[in-house]
Amino acid sequence: MNLINIKHPQEKVSFREAVTRGLGSDQGLYFFEHLTALPDPLTVLRMDRESRNVAVLGHLLGDELDTETLTTLVRSALDFPVACPRVSPQMRALELFHGPSLAFKDFGARFMARCLAHFRAEDSSDQPMTILTATSGDTGAAVAHAYHGQPGIRAVVLYPRGKITPLQEKLFCTLGGNITTLAVDSDFDCCQSLVKQAFDDVEIREGLGLNSANSINIARLVAQVTYYFDAAAQVLAEDGEAALERQVLCVPSGNFGNLTAGLLALAIGLPCKRMIAATNANDTVPRYLASGRWDPNPTQATITNAMDVSQPNNFPRVLELGERHGLDLAALLSACSVSDDDTAAAMRALHQDGYLADPHSALAWKALGESLDEDEQGIFLCTAHPAKFLEVIRDVLELDVPLPPALAEVADKEVLSDVIPGEFAAFRQKLLDL
Ligand SMILES: *Cc1c(COP(=O)(O)O)cnc(C)c1O
């Protein structure tokens, strides 16, 4: 199976190369050269979840990974539930936060980790591999959990000391084993700069086999296609075939990876009517779709901070789905921006209806409600567990969210991080001592 570098389409790579390299030359994103529709989507939707995930991934990846391998990867990576409860007569919530870090990033991070481990094992490689990443809170948890216990791979996660919540810290700094967490006495920008300096240091890069876990890796994207089929499978089982064509999917978007995965699902034949990309005040894409002008503003801080992105790095893939793969984006995709006030009001309204949503999920519910016609049905994607955003929920709903078992379990565990100053020399020594 071939992937191309969007910036240099003559540059073709296998899935394996794309996963290991992350980015092509000139920082170009890898994407599919060809996409074909599933011959029989309804049959796929009637399968059990594991078989369906294997069928969808097998269709996307062609013969590069055989069914047995894919089954092993899927069974290990996607080993937590997906739920899609109805929250009102017209709407369902697609809950993607039942994984170990309580956010949908578990899907992509876990599948990517297992792909890397699989390719390494296939090579019988004994070269070291070190995943290095900086986090301002949430991605670090998904990455740390994804690589925990993966043979031959070490993960090093940097975060600004004292600038993430104590609960966030407990969630990924208590794992130990092959996971090293470093609390940097500085801010997030400094953490990112330290990571960059390490990648620029040839001795460190090659000696430790540095690899990034970043969100643009193609392995992450393909894993996220699966849950769109999970949602449709549930609609089919509960409401019948005719209901599928009435579904409108609304995706709370930051870097637009999640939305790209949804459009990929449409491109290979997921039955669905249309999709909505919902953003917060960082509304580059809604403005682009309205005016045709790409005109990013400075990034604004909002209560949906995982979506505070003004230059979404996956958007070239969205455009590629239109230009190369012929997806009718004008008909299938709309976008809208939701203010913090409207997001807070949405959290209150949903809570009154008996559904507790984190701010990102509530924002999607709001955008969906505004757009839905009488003869349509909607599914909004819930990207994080409400317990991940305790502070916002306390402010808006004056309510304390009970801790889910995953968090309650780690709340009393010891934080294993080492503290380092925000200087490269100290960080470099720490890496060499690993
Ligand atoms: C990362 C994230 C998003 C945005 O997803 P993208 O794929 O970057 O658009 C939305 N909600 C939460 C909770 C996130 O962590």
Side-chain angles (χ1 to χ4, degrees), residues 14-17 19-20 63-70 72-73 113-127 129 150-153:
S14 61
F15 177 65
R16 175 202 193 94
E17 287 165 320
V19 173
T20 342
D63 50 14
E64 219 179 303
L65 293 171
D66 59 43
T67 304
E68 199 187 323
T69 306
L70 266 180
T72 310
L73 297 179
R114 277 143 191 85
C115 286
L116 278 177
H118 166 73
F119 292 138
R120 241 181 90 78
E122 238 182 18
D123 285 348
S124 321
S125 161
D126 51 10
Q127 295 290 311
M129 181 182 278
Q150 290 302 302
I153 306 183

Side-chain angles (χ1 to χ4, degrees), residues 279-433:
T279 71
N280 57 28
N282 297 287
D283 59 351
T284 309
V285 170
R287 285 186 293 111
Y288 170 77
L289 292 185
S291 72
R293 282 188 35 237
W294 188 257
D295 185 17
N297 292 325
T299 308
Q300 290 183 49
T302 71
I303 60 170
T304 47
N305 62 17
M307 293 160 46
D308 289 348
V309 180
S310 72
Q311 308 208 45
N313 56 17
N314 266 299
F315 205 69
R317 286 177 166 144
V318 172
L319 297 179
E320 193 77 357
L321 278 160
E323 286 160 18
R324 173 179 290 270
H325 300 292
L327 205 63
D328 185 356
L329 293 178
L332 291 171
L333 178 65
S334 64
C336 100
S337 150
V338 178
S339 69
D340 273 2
D341 283 349
D342 285 349
T343 299
M347 289 167 68
R348 286 186 210 103
L350 263 170
H351 186 237
Q352 237 160 22
D353 286 350
Y355 191 76
L356 183 61
D358 98 285
H360 305 79
S361 314
L363 179 150
W365 175 83
K366 169 73 180 169
L368 180 59
E370 296 220 315
S371 165
L372 217 51
D373 280 340
E374 260 171 45
D375 57 352
E376 292 176 329
Q377 290 190 334
I379 302 175
F380 61 102
L381 274 62
C382 297
T383 45
H385 191 288
K388 284 206 103 163
F389 293 91
L390 294 175
E391 293 79 9
V392 182
I393 293 188
R394 201 173 292 143
D395 285 351
V396 173
L397 301 178
E398 293 167 15
L399 179 90
D400 280 316
V401 185
L403 292 188
L407 272 181
E409 221 172 82
V410 294
D412 299 326
K413 285 201 181 158
E414 185 193 351
V415 169
L416 303 170
S417 308
D418 284 336
V419 178
I420 60 165
E423 289 155 13
F424 186 60
F427 174 47
R428 188 175 195 278
Q429 193 54 50
K430 199 91 218 167
L431 286 174
L432 290 172
D433 292 346

Side-chain angles (χ1 to χ4, degrees), residues 16-40:
R16 175 202 193 94
E17 287 165 320
V19 173
T20 342
R21 287 183 202 167
L23 284 167
S25 56
D26 289 333
Q27 309 285 303
L29 302 175
Y30 292 121
F31 204 54
F32 296 91
E33 182 178 27
H34 302 291
L35 285 171
T36 57
L38 284 159
D40 188 358

Side-chain angles (χ1 to χ4, degrees), residues 131-147:
I131 304 295
L132 182 60
T133 191
T135 182
S136 53
D138 283 342
T139 49
V143 168
H145 280 274
Y147 289 91

